Amino acid sequence: MGELEFRKALFQAIHAKAPLKPYLGDPLRVFDGVPRGTTLPYATLEAVTTQLLTGHLNEGGRLTGSIGIYSRHPDRAQTLEILQIFNELLEPGITPATGTDAAGLTMTETSCRRLSDGRTWYGRIKFSVLLQHSD
């Protein structure tokens, strides 16, 4: 249905976003499944689900997902700055490689809070996008 193509395009767009390097390093600490012992701050593609629009795989679906940011900066400023860069990246949309059309990318939530350990800030952007095979 294009989920894999969209994920690849999303990671390519993230890794091409130079303003993330001062925060997430070079190479960027952006993961789809975080390796054990990863240095903070880092970003991860969290739960991704696809719901069929009509019940037929070839007629497309709505992909929903979220990007999580984890930081141990003394205050939430760093997490909010990284979230802003991700907002700027997602706002114009993500274009997958040929074979998949992506339309209507919307950000449905942006949030930032301190986790229960009292040291880690967690920011999240939830988004959704319509995916369809192109003819």
Side-chain angles (χ1 to χ4, degrees), residues 11 14-15 20 23-24 28-35 38-46 66-71 82-83 86 122-123:
F11 273 90
I14 291 169
H15 283 281
L20 287 170
Y23 299 103
L24 302 179
L28 292 178
R29 291 182 301 277
V30 178
F31 308 102
D32 188 358
V34 182
T38 298
T39 303
L40 288 127
Y42 65 83
T44 182
L45 181 60
E46 298 179 327
S66 62
I67 297 170
I69 311 298
Y70 294 82
S71 171
I82 297 169
L83 284 169
F86 274 100
Y122 170 68

Side-chain angles (χ1 to χ4, degrees), residues 32-80:
D32 188 358
V34 182
R36 196 174 194 129
T38 298
T39 303
L40 288 127
Y42 65 83
T44 182
L45 181 60
E46 298 179 327
V48 175
T49 59
T50 305
Q51 179 181 11
L52 297 177
L53 295 177
T54 64
H56 300 285
L57 206 60
N58 62 344
E59 294 181 14
R62 177 176 300 279
L63 179 141
T64 58
S66 62
I67 297 170
I69 311 298
Y70 294 82
S71 171
R72 290 243 171 101
H73 194 268
D75 59 34
R76 73 179 71 228
Q78 182 183 64
T79 303
L80 292 173

